[in-house]
Every structure is written in structure tokens, then in C-alpha cells.
């Protein structure tokens, strides 16, 4: 079965991290989320992928190529402009002649596919939408199901007390090719707001099935950080590379740790990282490969992507610094978000 990965959104809520990077390529625990996703789905038996992208699509192509390095086949569906979630599916029609899977590539979702596929087979519907249960559905598209799990209606971002259920669209669909007939070509179309409601209005059978497995939307900086803490505190089963040198502290290969350095768990440090004397790393710290941390640095509640540097005597809290960033000496930084290559020098 082919899987279409939707990776062409602009990721506006995660800017500036996504200015030069597709959101699904943002690293989670020091590896692009899209790599985790592809290898996770591969291990569930999926080995043919089509990636639909537009914004910074070369970043994805250069990283994955034809997919062989990851043990899968990858084809690319390029878009000349933003097409929306259903527009991107329509644009990839030539790749999708049989039943296919669609996955929003910016959601950290580790579904168990077999029950979803079996349900779709048994229900005989035109579409099965994977659902996830959330405490507060008010910022999502909520579904109302009948007793046979057929979707009766969608309610976009209802007030909490007016939500018909706590079940929301998890951003993973099993679709029959017939769905293509209901997506107009040549313009932006949203599958959530337009295509699924149209199918229901035309009495086509659209079903919902609860997906087990970790689910979290990485859309905002706070949520992006939260996913990391879920990985480090074992609420998310993604692998943490490196040796666990004390409970909740993982160190990669070839790290050089200075004297008097204190790690406050949870902490994940990549390969070939230097940490200067008397620095305090954590709690809640992720540091990518090839990073340099000076001495007497305090780094907490923060994520540093590969090849970045922090000079001596700096405090960093609640921050995210993208690839190849640099912080100069002697300051306190809180809620800092740096785009790739940004350098912050002393004022
Ligand atoms: P925000 O701008 O922060 O809302 O993020 P987004 O637009 O990237 O994400 P959104 O939640 O709106 O999109 C859901 C999924 O569909 C994500 O995986 C996006 O990458 C993807 N997506 C959204 N629009 C398009 C599009 O026009 N083309 C393609 N190929 N994918 C899209």
C-alpha cells in the first residue's frame, strides 16, 4: 500500500524555525521527525512512499533521495503553489491508483496500523479517518460518530462544552481512489474542511476509528518542546540515541565533558559535543550533534540543534536554537527562538 506523506505546509506557527525548513524536518531527539516517521511506518510494513511538498522541498529530497538508504522507495509529488491538504492528494493522483494511506507528516503520531487497516477493510467505506482522543478538543476538528463508527458530522473548533465528543481527526486517513472524484483539481482544497464534509453530505460512507499510539501535534514551539520531554520521560516510545550514563541522562559518542559539569535529568546529548567546565545542563535539555557549550553555561528547558555553539557564562531557558546557531558571551536568554545560522552577539 502506498503512503502519501503531506509535508507541504508552511508551518507558520513554528516560525522562524520553519522559515527555511519544512516542519516535518524539524528534529525530534536529534533526528528529523520525518525520518522517525518513515522508519516507524516501514517497521509497520509500509515501504512505498510519496512525499507531497512545496515549501523548501529540496531539504526533504536531499535528505531522503530515493529512500533506499532507509530501506524504502520514495517518490515525490511537487506542487507549484500551496494546494491545501486535499489539493495535495489530488495533485498526487497519478501515484495513487489503489487504496492508499495519507499521513500528515507534521504530527508526531505512532499509530498501530493493523487495526486501522482491518477496520477499513471490514467497514467497506470510501474513507477511514484515524481519530485520537484529547482532553480539550476546542482547537481541533471534532467528529460525531454513530453506533457503527460512521461519521455523522464534523465540528471545527467547537467550544469545549459544545463539542459532540473528545474525538478529533488524527491526520491519518485510509482512502479509496474514488475519493479523488470529489476533490476539484487546480485550486487549494482542504480535506478537513471541504472534502470530508462533501463526502458525508453525499452520503458516502466515511468512518472513524480510534488510533492507539502516541499522538501529539508539534505545531507550536511549546508543543514542539513538550514532545521532547515526552520522549525523555518515556511517554513517547521514540528511541533516544546514546549511552544512559545516569538515570535520564544520555550522552552520544565522542563527547567531551569538562570538570564540574552537572547534568540535571532529563538530558539528551548528541555525538561529538563539548561541554565546558562547571556548566549545568538540564533539567529538560536536548543538545544536537557537533555542538560546543562553553564553561559556566546554564542550559535548561531548551533544545539546541546540530552544529550550534554557546559561549561561556550564558543562561538559556525555554529556548529553541536551530542548526548552526551561535550565542555570544555573558547573557541570560529566555524564550529565545533562533532560525538556522542566526548569531546573537553581545549587545
Ligand atoms: P501552520 O501554518 O503552522 O498551521 O502549519 P501547516 O500549514 O504546515 O500545517 P497544517 O496543520 O495546516 O497542515 C496539516 C498537514 O498538511 C501538515 O503535514 C502540512 O505539512 C500539510 N499541508 C498543509 N498544506 C499543504 C499543502 O498545500 N501541500 C502539501 N503537500 N501539504 C500540506
Amino acid at each position: 500500500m502506498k503512503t502519501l506523506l503531506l509535508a507541504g505546509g508552511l508551518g507558520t506557527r513554528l516560525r522562524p524555525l520553519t522559515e527555511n525548513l519544512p516542519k516535518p524536518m524539524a528534529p525530534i531527539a536529534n533526528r528529523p521527525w520525518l525520518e522517525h516517521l518513515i522508519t516507524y511506518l516501514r517497521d509497520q510494513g509500509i515501504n512505498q512512499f510519496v512525499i507531497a511538498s512545496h515549501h523548501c522541498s529540496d531539504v526533504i529530497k536531499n535528505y531522503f533521495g530515493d529512500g533506499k538508504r532507509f530501506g524504502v522507495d520514495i517518490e515525490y509529488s511537487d506542487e507549484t503553489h500551496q494546494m491545501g491538504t486535499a489539493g495535495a492528494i489530488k495533485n498526487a493522483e497519478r501515484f495513487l491508483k489503489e487504496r492508499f494511506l495519507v499521513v500528515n507528516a507534521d504530527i508526531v503520531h505512532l499509530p498501530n496500523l493493523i487495526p486501522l487497516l482491518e477496520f477499513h477493510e471490514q467497514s467497506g467505506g470510501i474513507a477511514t479517518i484515524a481519530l485520537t482522543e484529547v482532553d480539550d478538543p476546542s482547537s481541533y476538528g471534532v467528529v460525531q460518530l454513530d453506533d457503527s463508527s460512521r461519521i455523522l458530522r464534523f465540528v471545527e473548533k467547537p467550544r469545549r462544552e459544545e463539542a459532540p465528543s473528545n474525538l478529533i481527526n488524527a491526520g491519518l486517513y485510509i482512502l479509496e481512489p474514488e475519493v479523488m472524484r470529489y476533490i476539484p483539481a487546480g485550486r487549494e482544497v482542504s480535506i478537513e474542511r471541504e472534502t470530508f464534509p462533501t463526502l458525508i453530505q453525499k452520503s458516502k460512507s466515511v468512518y472513524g476509528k480510534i488510533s492507539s499510539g502516541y499522538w501529539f501535534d508539534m505545531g507550536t514551539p511549546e508543543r514542539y518542546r513538550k514532545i521532547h520531554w515526552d520522549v525523555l520521560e518515556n511517554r513517547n516510545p521514540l528511541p533516544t540515541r546514546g549511552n544512559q550514563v545516569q538515570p535520564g541522562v544520555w550522552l552520544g559518542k565522542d563527547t567531551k565533558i569538562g570538570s564540574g559539569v552537572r547534568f540535571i535529568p532529563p538530558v539528551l546529548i548528541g555525538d561529538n559535543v563539548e561541554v565546558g567546565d562547571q556548566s549545568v545542563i538540564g533539567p529538560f535539555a536536548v543538545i544536537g550533534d557537533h555542538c560546543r557549550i562553553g564553561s559556566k553555561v546554564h542550559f535548561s528547558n531548551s533544545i539546541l540543534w546540530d552544529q550550534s555553539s554557546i559561549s561561556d557564562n550564558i543562561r538559556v531557558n525555554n529556548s529553541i536554537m536551530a542548526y548552526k546557531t551561535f550565542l555570544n558571551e555573558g547573557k541570560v536568554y529566555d524564550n529565545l527562538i533562533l532560525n538556522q545560522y542566526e548569531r546573537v552577539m553581545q549587545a
Side-chain angles (χ1 to χ4, degrees):
M1 183 189 253
K2 275 198 182 168
T3 293
L4 179 69
L5 298 173
L6 296 179
L10 295 175
T12 49
R13 290 165 299 154
L14 209 53
R15 282 181 186 161
L17 299 171
T18 46
E19 259 160 36
N20 322 99
L21 192 79
K23 191 177 9 166
M25 290 301 284
I28 302 286
N30 293 337
R31 255 202 285 169
W33 160 243
L34 194 53
E35 180 182 343
H36 287 294
L37 177 63
I38 287 173
T39 53
Y40 177 84
L41 293 175
R42 177 199 65 199
D43 295 345
Q44 298 253 317
I46 303 283
N47 50 28
Q48 286 184 294
F49 293 90
V50 179
I51 301 182
S53 61
H54 172 56
H55 172 63
C56 303
S57 55
D58 283 351
V59 176
I60 297 179
K61 287 180 188 162
N62 293 340
Y63 193 85
F64 291 101
D66 61 7
K68 295 279 182 290
R69 190 161 68 93
F70 302 91
V72 298
D73 290 327
I74 300 179
E75 295 170 291
Y76 294 90
S77 174
D78 293 322
E79 294 163 24
T80 50
H81 55 280
Q82 285 306 118
M83 313 205 89
T85 41
I89 296 172
K90 183 75 176 172
N91 188 60
E93 190 167 7
R94 67 189 182 285
F95 299 106
L96 306 168
K97 296 298 176 200
E98 291 167 11
R99 180 180 297 168
F100 59 98
L101 194 67
V102 176
V103 180
N104 282 8
D106 68 337
I107 290 177
V108 177
H109 184 189
L110 301 169
N112 185 356
L113 287 183
I114 301 287
L116 293 168
L117 294 168
E118 283 177 355
F119 174 88
H120 182 79
E121 179 70 34
Q122 281 157 14
S123 68
I126 191 172
T128 298
I129 302 177
L131 305 174
T132 192
E133 208 162 359
V134 291
D135 290 338
D136 178 6
S138 57
S139 41
Y140 298 97
V142 182
V143 302
Q144 185 177 0
L145 300 174
D146 73 8
D147 291 344
S148 68
S149 296
R150 195 164 164 161
I151 297 180
L152 298 174
R153 66 180 178 127
F154 294 91
V155 188
E156 262 313 301
K157 304 193 171 103
R159 286 215 300 235
R160 201 170 180 169
E161 58 282 9
E162 287 166 7
S165 74
N166 276 13
L167 296 174
I168 64 162
N169 175 348
L172 182 150
Y173 321 116
I174 304 164
L175 302 179
E176 296 298 322
E178 191 196 339
V179 165
M180 294 292 184
R181 279 199 236 151
Y182 300 90
I183 308 176
R187 69 168 170 86
E188 194 167 338
V189 189
S190 157
I191 197 162
E192 305 88 340
R193 287 189 295 279
E194 192 173 336
T195 310
F196 286 140
T198 301
L199 291 174
I200 287 166
Q201 193 204 352
K202 292 187 181 299
S203 302
K204 295 285 165 189
S205 43
V206 177
Y207 286 90
K209 167 83 178 144
I210 295 181
S211 163
S212 59
Y214 183 89
W215 185 96
F216 208 75
D217 161 21
M218 70 156 108
T220 63
E222 297 69 39
R223 296 181 72 85
Y224 174 74
R225 276 205 303 265
K226 166 82 166 61
I227 290 168
H228 283 81
W229 316 147
D230 284 351
V231 174
L232 268 49
E233 295 190 314
N234 295 320
R235 287 185 295 274
N236 173 329
L238 286 181
T240 37
R241 288 188 296 181
N243 285 332
Q244 193 163 179
V245 293
Q246 68 182 72
V249 177
W250 290 266
L251 291 192
K253 285 180 286 187
D254 302 323
T255 47
K256 289 199 189 100
I257 307 301
S259 67
V261 169
R262 199 150 62 91
F263 293 118
I264 307 176
V267 171
L268 172 66
I269 294 189
D271 295 341
N272 194 4
V273 170
E274 280 181 27
V275 182
D277 297 347
Q278 296 174 57
S279 285
V280 180
I281 310 296
F284 301 102
V286 173
I287 295 176
D289 295 344
H290 309 287
C291 288
R292 300 280 169 272
I293 310 289
S295 55
K296 297 185 179 164
V297 168
H298 285 239
F299 186 86
S300 56
N301 289 299
S302 296
I303 297 165
L304 186 64
W305 296 4
D306 296 354
Q307 300 186 56
S308 292
S309 303
I310 297 178
S311 298
D312 301 340
N313 294 308
I314 290 184
R315 278 177 180 265
V316 181
N317 190 34
N318 290 322
S319 296
I320 306 169
M321 296 168 56
Y323 296 120
K324 300 184 179 177
T325 48
F326 176 74
L327 278 188
N328 201 1
E329 216 164 316
K331 266 199 144 187
V332 176
Y333 297 94
D334 198 28
N335 283 312
L336 180 73
I337 300 191
L338 289 187
N339 190 9
Q340 298 178 55
Y341 298 101
E342 268 192 84
R343 299 171 72 80
V344 178
M345 311 302 279
Q346 201 172 9

PDB file of all heavy atoms in Angstrom, residues 6-14 23-24 52-53 79 82-85 88 104-106 219, ligand 1:
ATOM      1  N   LEU A   6       1.960  14.100   3.679  1.00  0.00           N
ATOM      2  CA  LEU A   6       1.697  15.521   3.432  1.00  0.00           C
ATOM      3  C   LEU A   6       2.725  16.340   4.192  1.00  0.00           C
ATOM      4  O   LEU A   6       2.713  16.377   5.426  1.00  0.00           O
ATOM      5  CB  LEU A   6       0.288  15.892   3.888  1.00  0.00           C
ATOM      6  CG  LEU A   6      -0.864  15.224   3.145  1.00  0.00           C
ATOM      7  CD1 LEU A   6      -2.203  15.671   3.725  1.00  0.00           C
ATOM      8  CD2 LEU A   6      -0.799  15.534   1.650  1.00  0.00           C
ATOM      9  N   ALA A   7       3.623  16.965   3.430  1.00  0.00           N
ATOM     10  CA  ALA A   7       4.735  17.670   4.083  1.00  0.00           C
ATOM     11  C   ALA A   7       4.911  19.067   3.494  1.00  0.00           C
ATOM     12  O   ALA A   7       5.999  19.623   3.558  1.00  0.00           O
ATOM     13  CB  ALA A   7       6.019  16.858   3.908  1.00  0.00           C
ATOM     14  N   GLY A   8       3.837  19.610   2.926  1.00  0.00           N
ATOM     15  CA  GLY A   8       3.984  20.874   2.193  1.00  0.00           C
ATOM     16  C   GLY A   8       3.415  22.089   2.876  1.00  0.00           C
ATOM     17  O   GLY A   8       3.274  23.135   2.247  1.00  0.00           O
ATOM     18  N   GLY A   9       3.075  21.994   4.151  1.00  0.00           N
ATOM     19  CA  GLY A   9       2.539  23.171   4.847  1.00  0.00           C
ATOM     20  C   GLY A   9       3.636  24.189   5.105  1.00  0.00           C
ATOM     21  O   GLY A   9       4.833  23.884   5.013  1.00  0.00           O
ATOM     22  N   LEU A  10       3.240  25.394   5.449  1.00  0.00           N
ATOM     23  CA  LEU A  10       4.224  26.461   5.678  1.00  0.00           C
ATOM     24  C   LEU A  10       4.735  26.469   7.114  1.00  0.00           C
ATOM     25  O   LEU A  10       5.742  27.101   7.412  1.00  0.00           O
ATOM     26  CB  LEU A  10       3.606  27.823   5.358  1.00  0.00           C
ATOM     27  CG  LEU A  10       3.222  28.028   3.890  1.00  0.00           C
ATOM     28  CD1 LEU A  10       2.501  29.367   3.705  1.00  0.00           C
ATOM     29  CD2 LEU A  10       4.445  27.956   2.990  1.00  0.00           C
ATOM     30  N   GLY A  11       4.036  25.782   7.999  1.00  0.00           N
ATOM     31  CA  GLY A  11       4.489  25.719   9.391  1.00  0.00           C
ATOM     32  C   GLY A  11       4.581  27.089  10.030  1.00  0.00           C
ATOM     33  O   GLY A  11       5.508  27.371  10.787  1.00  0.00           O
ATOM     34  N   THR A  12       3.590  27.934   9.770  1.00  0.00           N
ATOM     35  CA  THR A  12       3.690  29.335  10.221  1.00  0.00           C
ATOM     36  C   THR A  12       3.792  29.456  11.746  1.00  0.00           C
ATOM     37  O   THR A  12       4.466  30.348  12.249  1.00  0.00           O
ATOM     38  CB  THR A  12       2.470  30.151   9.747  1.00  0.00           C
ATOM     39  OG1 THR A  12       1.291  29.421  10.086  1.00  0.00           O
ATOM     40  CG2 THR A  12       2.491  30.373   8.255  1.00  0.00           C
ATOM     41  N   ARG A  13       3.142  28.537  12.454  1.00  0.00           N
ATOM     42  CA  ARG A  13       3.132  28.670  13.922  1.00  0.00           C
ATOM     43  C   ARG A  13       4.472  28.306  14.540  1.00  0.00           C
ATOM     44  O   ARG A  13       4.712  28.586  15.705  1.00  0.00           O
ATOM     45  CB  ARG A  13       2.010  27.795  14.518  1.00  0.00           C
ATOM     46  CG  ARG A  13       0.614  28.312  14.225  1.00  0.00           C
ATOM     47  CD  ARG A  13      -0.424  27.249  14.502  1.00  0.00           C
ATOM     48  NE  ARG A  13      -0.222  26.079  13.648  1.00  0.00           N
ATOM     49  CZ  ARG A  13      -0.609  24.851  13.960  1.00  0.00           C
ATOM     50  NH1 ARG A  13      -1.195  24.622  15.105  1.00  0.00           N
ATOM     51  NH2 ARG A  13      -0.399  23.849  13.125  1.00  0.00           N
ATOM     52  N   LEU A  14       5.317  27.658  13.757  1.00  0.00           N
ATOM     53  CA  LEU A  14       6.633  27.265  14.302  1.00  0.00           C
ATOM     54  C   LEU A  14       7.757  28.169  13.754  1.00  0.00           C
ATOM     55  O   LEU A  14       8.932  27.864  13.904  1.00  0.00           O
ATOM     56  CB  LEU A  14       6.893  25.794  13.955  1.00  0.00           C
ATOM     57  CG  LEU A  14       7.772  24.967  14.903  1.00  0.00           C
ATOM     58  CD1 LEU A  14       7.290  25.034  16.338  1.00  0.00           C
ATOM     59  CD2 LEU A  14       7.822  23.515  14.442  1.00  0.00           C
ATOM     60  N   LYS A  23       8.315  21.827   8.182  1.00  0.00           N
ATOM     61  CA  LYS A  23       8.083  21.468   9.593  1.00  0.00           C
ATOM     62  C   LYS A  23       8.387  19.990   9.886  1.00  0.00           C
ATOM     63  O   LYS A  23       9.004  19.678  10.912  1.00  0.00           O
ATOM     64  CB  LYS A  23       6.645  21.819   9.991  1.00  0.00           C
ATOM     65  CG  LYS A  23       6.380  21.730  11.460  1.00  0.00           C
ATOM     66  CD  LYS A  23       4.978  22.133  11.941  1.00  0.00           C
ATOM     67  CE  LYS A  23       3.905  22.387  10.991  1.00  0.00           C
ATOM     68  NZ  LYS A  23       2.559  22.441  11.618  1.00  0.00           N
ATOM     69  N   PRO A  24       8.026  19.052   8.985  1.00  0.00           N
ATOM     70  CA  PRO A  24       8.305  17.638   9.310  1.00  0.00           C
ATOM     71  C   PRO A  24       9.800  17.322   9.407  1.00  0.00           C
ATOM     72  O   PRO A  24      10.174  16.270   9.917  1.00  0.00           O
ATOM     73  CB  PRO A  24       7.674  16.872   8.133  1.00  0.00           C
ATOM     74  CG  PRO A  24       6.653  17.803   7.580  1.00  0.00           C
ATOM     75  CD  PRO A  24       7.215  19.178   7.763  1.00  0.00           C
ATOM     76  N   ALA A  52       4.499  14.638  -0.647  1.00  0.00           N
ATOM     77  CA  ALA A  52       3.908  15.816  -1.287  1.00  0.00           C
ATOM     78  C   ALA A  52       4.422  17.045  -0.568  1.00  0.00           C
ATOM     79  O   ALA A  52       4.186  17.205   0.632  1.00  0.00           O
ATOM     80  CB  ALA A  52       2.389  15.762  -1.189  1.00  0.00           C
ATOM     81  N   SER A  53       5.163  17.868  -1.312  1.00  0.00           N
ATOM     82  CA  SER A  53       5.723  19.030  -0.624  1.00  0.00           C
ATOM     83  C   SER A  53       5.871  20.198  -1.589  1.00  0.00           C
ATOM     84  O   SER A  53       5.788  20.055  -2.804  1.00  0.00           O
ATOM     85  CB  SER A  53       7.072  18.684  -0.009  1.00  0.00           C
ATOM     86  OG  SER A  53       7.956  18.302  -1.016  1.00  0.00           O
ATOM     87  N   GLU A  79       4.595  20.456  -5.884  1.00  0.00           N
ATOM     88  CA  GLU A  79       3.473  21.380  -6.041  1.00  0.00           C
ATOM     89  C   GLU A  79       4.009  22.745  -6.425  1.00  0.00           C
ATOM     90  O   GLU A  79       4.999  23.201  -5.869  1.00  0.00           O
ATOM     91  CB  GLU A  79       2.688  21.466  -4.721  1.00  0.00           C
ATOM     92  CG  GLU A  79       2.025  20.137  -4.385  1.00  0.00           C
ATOM     93  CD  GLU A  79       1.591  20.031  -2.926  1.00  0.00           C
ATOM     94  OE1 GLU A  79       1.377  21.068  -2.282  1.00  0.00           O
ATOM     95  OE2 GLU A  79       1.472  18.891  -2.457  1.00  0.00           O
ATOM     96  N   GLN A  82       0.719  26.476  -2.973  1.00  0.00           N
ATOM     97  CA  GLN A  82       0.035  25.804  -1.855  1.00  0.00           C
ATOM     98  C   GLN A  82      -1.275  25.227  -2.368  1.00  0.00           C
ATOM     99  O   GLN A  82      -2.079  25.934  -2.975  1.00  0.00           O
ATOM    100  CB  GLN A  82      -0.266  26.808  -0.737  1.00  0.00           C
ATOM    101  CG  GLN A  82       0.923  27.221   0.104  1.00  0.00           C
ATOM    102  CD  GLN A  82       1.664  26.051   0.706  1.00  0.00           C
ATOM    103  OE1 GLN A  82       2.831  25.865   0.409  1.00  0.00           O
ATOM    104  NE2 GLN A  82       1.016  25.259   1.518  1.00  0.00           N
ATOM    105  N   MET A  83      -1.517  23.954  -2.137  1.00  0.00           N
ATOM    106  CA  MET A  83      -2.707  23.309  -2.691  1.00  0.00           C
ATOM    107  C   MET A  83      -3.683  22.887  -1.606  1.00  0.00           C
ATOM    108  O   MET A  83      -4.782  22.433  -1.904  1.00  0.00           O
ATOM    109  CB  MET A  83      -2.301  22.072  -3.475  1.00  0.00           C
ATOM    110  CG  MET A  83      -1.139  22.331  -4.415  1.00  0.00           C
ATOM    111  SD  MET A  83      -1.133  21.212  -5.772  1.00  0.00           S
ATOM    112  CE  MET A  83      -2.123  22.066  -6.945  1.00  0.00           C
ATOM    113  N   GLY A  84      -3.259  22.997  -0.341  1.00  0.00           N
ATOM    114  CA  GLY A  84      -4.104  22.518   0.748  1.00  0.00           C
ATOM    115  C   GLY A  84      -3.991  21.001   0.857  1.00  0.00           C
ATOM    116  O   GLY A  84      -3.420  20.335  -0.014  1.00  0.00           O
ATOM    117  N   THR A  85      -4.554  20.454   1.937  1.00  0.00           N
ATOM    118  CA  THR A  85      -4.353  19.031   2.225  1.00  0.00           C
ATOM    119  C   THR A  85      -5.002  18.123   1.168  1.00  0.00           C
ATOM    120  O   THR A  85      -4.405  17.121   0.765  1.00  0.00           O
ATOM    121  CB  THR A  85      -4.878  18.706   3.632  1.00  0.00           C
ATOM    122  OG1 THR A  85      -6.108  19.413   3.834  1.00  0.00           O
ATOM    123  CG2 THR A  85      -3.900  19.141   4.693  1.00  0.00           C
ATOM    124  N   ALA A  88      -3.284  18.635  -2.378  1.00  0.00           N
ATOM    125  CA  ALA A  88      -2.025  17.885  -2.486  1.00  0.00           C
ATOM    126  C   ALA A  88      -2.295  16.421  -2.826  1.00  0.00           C
ATOM    127  O   ALA A  88      -1.542  15.788  -3.567  1.00  0.00           O
ATOM    128  CB  ALA A  88      -1.257  17.985  -1.163  1.00  0.00           C
ATOM    129  N   ASN A 104      -0.477  13.119   7.747  1.00  0.00           N
ATOM    130  CA  ASN A 104       0.056  14.471   7.981  1.00  0.00           C
ATOM    131  C   ASN A 104       1.438  14.310   8.590  1.00  0.00           C
ATOM    132  O   ASN A 104       1.562  13.804   9.710  1.00  0.00           O
ATOM    133  CB  ASN A 104      -0.797  15.232   9.003  1.00  0.00           C
ATOM    134  CG  ASN A 104      -2.067  15.778   8.418  1.00  0.00           C
ATOM    135  OD1 ASN A 104      -2.412  15.480   7.275  1.00  0.00           O
ATOM    136  ND2 ASN A 104      -2.776  16.564   9.201  1.00  0.00           N
ATOM    137  N   ALA A 105       2.458  14.752   7.872  1.00  0.00           N
ATOM    138  CA  ALA A 105       3.822  14.444   8.311  1.00  0.00           C
ATOM    139  C   ALA A 105       4.306  15.363   9.429  1.00  0.00           C
ATOM    140  O   ALA A 105       5.439  15.234   9.867  1.00  0.00           O
ATOM    141  CB  ALA A 105       4.773  14.512   7.120  1.00  0.00           C
ATOM    142  N   ASP A 106       3.469  16.273   9.879  1.00  0.00           N
ATOM    143  CA  ASP A 106       3.942  17.165  10.950  1.00  0.00           C
ATOM    144  C   ASP A 106       3.320  16.802  12.294  1.00  0.00           C
ATOM    145  O   ASP A 106       3.446  17.554  13.247  1.00  0.00           O
ATOM    146  CB  ASP A 106       3.615  18.615  10.610  1.00  0.00           C
ATOM    147  CG  ASP A 106       2.135  18.883  10.634  1.00  0.00           C
ATOM    148  OD1 ASP A 106       1.347  17.925  10.482  1.00  0.00           O
ATOM    149  OD2 ASP A 106       1.758  20.055  10.828  1.00  0.00           O
ATOM    150  N   GLY A 219       2.799  21.615  16.302  1.00  0.00           N
ATOM    151  CA  GLY A 219       2.597  22.901  15.630  1.00  0.00           C
ATOM    152  C   GLY A 219       3.210  24.148  16.233  1.00  0.00           C
ATOM    153  O   GLY A 219       3.521  25.080  15.512  1.00  0.00           O
TER     154      GLY A 219
HETATM  155  P1  LIG B   1       0.712  26.106  10.247  1.00  0.00           P
HETATM  156  O1  LIG B   1       0.977  27.082   9.142  1.00  0.00           O
HETATM  157  O2  LIG B   1       1.549  26.376  11.433  1.00  0.00           O
HETATM  158  O3  LIG B   1      -0.746  25.946  10.570  1.00  0.00           O
HETATM  159  O4  LIG B   1       1.196  24.675   9.755  1.00  0.00           O
HETATM  160  P2  LIG B   1       0.936  23.874   8.400  1.00  0.00           P
HETATM  161  O5  LIG B   1       0.104  24.596   7.420  1.00  0.00           O
HETATM  162  O6  LIG B   1       2.266  23.422   7.945  1.00  0.00           O
HETATM  163  O7  LIG B   1       0.171  22.638   8.973  1.00  0.00           O
HETATM  164  P3  LIG B   1      -1.350  22.225   8.921  1.00  0.00           P
HETATM  165  O8  LIG B   1      -1.647  21.680  10.256  1.00  0.00           O
HETATM  166  O9  LIG B   1      -2.215  23.288   8.407  1.00  0.00           O
HETATM  167  O10 LIG B   1      -1.281  21.078   7.823  1.00  0.00           O
HETATM  168  C1  LIG B   1      -1.526  19.705   8.104  1.00  0.00           C
HETATM  169  C2  LIG B   1      -0.579  18.864   7.288  1.00  0.00           C
HETATM  170  O11 LIG B   1      -0.807  19.058   5.903  1.00  0.00           O
HETATM  171  C3  LIG B   1       0.893  19.160   7.525  1.00  0.00           C
HETATM  172  O12 LIG B   1       1.601  17.936   7.484  1.00  0.00           O
HETATM  173  C4  LIG B   1       1.279  20.050   6.355  1.00  0.00           C
HETATM  174  O13 LIG B   1       2.654  19.863   6.007  1.00  0.00           O
HETATM  175  C5  LIG B   1       0.363  19.513   5.273  1.00  0.00           C
HETATM  176  N1  LIG B   1      -0.055  20.550   4.319  1.00  0.00           N
HETATM  177  C6  LIG B   1      -0.768  21.677   4.564  1.00  0.00           C
HETATM  178  N2  LIG B   1      -0.954  22.360   3.421  1.00  0.00           N
HETATM  179  C7  LIG B   1      -0.342  21.640   2.441  1.00  0.00           C
HETATM  180  C8  LIG B   1      -0.166  21.833   1.035  1.00  0.00           C
HETATM  181  O14 LIG B   1      -0.606  22.818   0.431  1.00  0.00           O
HETATM  182  N3  LIG B   1       0.528  20.863   0.360  1.00  0.00           N
HETATM  183  C9  LIG B   1       1.037  19.765   0.989  1.00  0.00           C
HETATM  184  N4  LIG B   1       1.703  18.880   0.254  1.00  0.00           N
HETATM  185  N5  LIG B   1       0.912  19.562   2.306  1.00  0.00           N
HETATM  186  C10 LIG B   1       0.211  20.497   3.017  1.00  0.00           C
END
